[in-house]
Amino acid sequence: MHEPRTEPAISTSEIESWLGGEYPGGDAALAHDAYAVTLQEVGSEVHLRGLVEFSNRCNCDCRYCGIRKSAGTQEGGSRLQRFTLSEDEIVTTARRCVEAGYGSMTLQSGERRSASFVRFVVRVVRRIKTETRTSVLPKGLGITVCIGEQSEESYRRLFDAGAHRYLLRIETSNPDLFARLHPRCQRFDDRLEALHRLKAIGFQVGTGVMIGLPGQSLKDLAADIQFFRSIDADMIGMGPYLERSLPVGTDELDTDLVSRLSRPDRLRLSLRMIAATRLVLRDVNIAATTALQAISPHGREAGLAFGANVLMPIMTPKTRRGNYLLYHDKPCVDEDSTACVSCTVARIHGIGRPIGMNTWGDSPHFERRMRSPA
Ligand code: 5AD
């Protein structure tokens, strides 16, 4: 295993105190220190991954998720229409990412393990890798895949096709809480095993959790950060938990899925989680996720101020966005990708940060890990 860390380990109880608002000097000092570590370890540049939500078909039934298998209705009460973008549509969107100067994209969808689905994604990855080569991106767009748990062989085929990063959130590192949020067939141990397999294959691996889940304690969240460290994650994506749409039609809002934290409290806690993760893990890539913006109009910028260095502007075609609502109040649903491109650039420049244009923006932690392997 990789063992370059020399800083003394930070205890779970210390992290828990920061999450509870007891960082010495308060949240402003926490943000300040996290940003200082960001500058030192990963630089001031914000890296972009054009997010293409290419299919909302899903075989999982995660209780919190708006596109879970049994979801029948959508926010507002309309019927959820299942879709999968065509190969050409996805490749066209990838080209838009290149035109916008994004060096990387993320392919996200519901989880399906059928041979035909995996074949489809492998083909798409191959095409994107060959059809997005330009003089500034000689190896094509960097591709992150986020399609849930798959077989080891499928991971390998995706990697061989040219995807080099994989995101698979653990959702919570507390196995009991995980069990309450998922049907019995979705097992915590399988998720953990999947993360290890992805790393062994050579992916840059990202994981993350939802923050403010019903039944989640500050100690759980502090343990989540220690979990990220224990699996030696390269990338972290996490955001506030948001209840899915209100009970309409066949979708019943389970009362035990209502968070006991107010939305402002969830935002505050999410920002503290980002900062604490930066202070503990230091050289990883951390995303300021869309869910932050669902709570606050400037939630993602706040995430950057607290130590995040990656943004994932939504590039999904506008006509499909309304059918990819993982949670209530998802932002940018009525925007098209051109608007998202200019809005993202303006937001990042608005806070005085440079953008990592036309580069993959790999996790420095991964690069160091590769230079000093076991
Ligand atoms: N609130 C916040 N995040 C959610 N996700 C799914 N449903 C919700 C929700 N209700 C997140 C999960 C998943 C990612 C794609 O979206 O963490 O891994």
Side-chain angles (χ1 to χ4, degrees):
M1 284 304 280
H2 162 76
E3 267 308 333
R5 295 189 186 280
T6 47
E7 327 86 52
I10 298 167
S11 72
T12 308
S13 57
E14 189 173 359
I15 301 171
E16 187 183 341
S17 75
W18 301 348
L19 300 178
E22 289 163 35
Y23 191 81
D27 283 348
L30 177 62
H32 176 274
D33 292 353
Y35 188 56
V37 173
T38 307
L39 288 181
Q40 185 188 324
E41 302 281 347
V42 299
S44 61
E45 286 188 340
V46 176
H47 295 289
L48 303 174
R49 286 85 176 83
L51 175 63
V52 186
E53 299 146 324
F54 69 90
S55 175
N56 66 355
R57 294 180 205 279
C58 191
N59 285 334
C60 291
D61 229 346
C62 311
R63 294 181 61 210
Y64 45 83
C65 182
I67 62 161
R68 73 201 181 282
K69 182 181 179 183
S70 62
T73 46
Q74 196 46 292
E75 197 170 322
S78 60
R79 188 146 186 87
L80 174 60
Q81 285 175 352
R82 298 289 176 176
F83 71 88
T84 302
L85 298 184
S86 71
E87 217 174 290
D88 284 342
E89 282 175 305
I90 304 174
V91 176
T92 302
T93 314
R95 286 210 201 92
R96 294 224 169 90
C97 293
V98 178
E99 284 157 20
Y102 301 174
S104 288
M105 75 184 299
T106 298
L107 291 170
Q108 189 185 86
S109 72
E111 181 173 313
R112 275 185 286 158
R113 297 185 201 165
S114 66
S116 59
F117 176 71
V118 175
R119 249 194 325 269
F120 172 78
V121 186
V122 167
R123 232 178 12 244
V124 165
V125 168
R126 254 195 226 116
R127 272 194 61 188
I128 294 172
K129 289 308 287 186
T130 51
E131 295 180 34
T132 60
R133 285 188 200 147
T134 62
S135 55
V136 283
L137 280 176
K139 292 203 241 163
L141 277 177
I143 300 179
T144 307
V145 176
C146 181
I147 59 170
E149 290 173 38
Q150 301 288 340
S151 70
E152 185 163 0
E153 196 211 327
S154 301
Y155 294 144
R156 204 173 290 283
R157 283 171 53 206
L158 290 161
F159 187 75
D160 291 344
H164 77 296
R165 297 189 282 242
Y166 204 105
L167 283 179
L168 183 65
R169 288 191 182 180
I170 191 78
E171 313 297 359
T172 167
S173 65
N174 175 335
D176 293 331
L177 183 53
F178 186 99
R180 268 180 272 146
L181 296 171
H182 298 96
R184 212 185 295 234
C185 57
Q186 289 175 235
R187 296 176 49 231
F188 179 83
D189 289 346
D190 292 340
R191 187 68 60 99
L192 193 56
E193 174 70 27
L195 287 166
H196 289 301
R197 284 194 175 149
L198 287 162
K199 277 194 81 181
I201 288 169
F203 279 103
Q204 250 171 87
V205 175
T207 191
V209 295
M210 285 177 285
I211 299 157
L213 286 161
Q216 186 181 45
S217 64
L218 293 184
K219 192 169 179 188
D220 288 329
L221 288 165
D224 289 339
I225 296 178
Q226 302 288 34
F227 170 84
F228 302 155
R229 188 179 160 103
S230 74
I231 64 158
D232 206 12
D234 302 301
M235 319 181 285
I236 302 296
M238 57 191 168
Y241 165 70
L242 295 150
E243 287 82 3
R244 52 184 163 76
S245 52
L246 293 166
V248 278
T250 53
D251 275 7
E252 278 169 36
L253 181 73
D254 313 44
T255 48
D256 62 339
L257 280 184
V258 177
S259 176
R260 68 190 154 66
L261 292 181
S262 69
R263 287 184 153 208
D265 282 346
R266 268 177 262 178
L267 176 65
R268 202 167 301 123
L269 191 51
S270 301
L271 297 176
R272 289 179 188 153
M273 273 295 279
I274 290 175
T277 301
R278 174 61 69 206
L279 292 177
V280 177
L281 273 71
R282 303 186 70 87
D283 58 358
V284 295
N285 275 350
I286 303 179
T289 57
T290 313
L292 286 168
Q293 201 180 314
I295 289 200
S296 156
H298 296 289
R300 284 196 274 188
E301 289 93 316
L304 294 174
F306 275 72
N309 68 324
V310 167
L311 274 193
M312 298 166 68
I314 301 176
M315 297 298 279
T316 310
K318 184 178 173 182
T319 51
R320 310 298 190 153
R321 294 188 184 198
N323 281 305
Y324 205 90
L325 304 176
L326 304 182
Y327 43 76
H328 195 50
D329 285 342
K330 190 173 167 203
C332 317
V333 172
D334 297 321
E335 312 283 310
D336 62 23
S337 50
T338 322
C340 284
V341 170
S342 49
C343 167
T344 304
V345 171
R347 280 169 184 270
I348 299 172
H349 287 156
I351 56 166
R353 296 271 290 267
I355 302 177
M357 300 293 271
N358 301 310
T359 62
W360 286 358
D362 282 337
S363 157
H365 183 75
F366 176 79
E367 290 168 346
R368 282 172 201 152
R369 196 152 72 71
M370 288 301 104
R371 279 200 298 272
S372 56

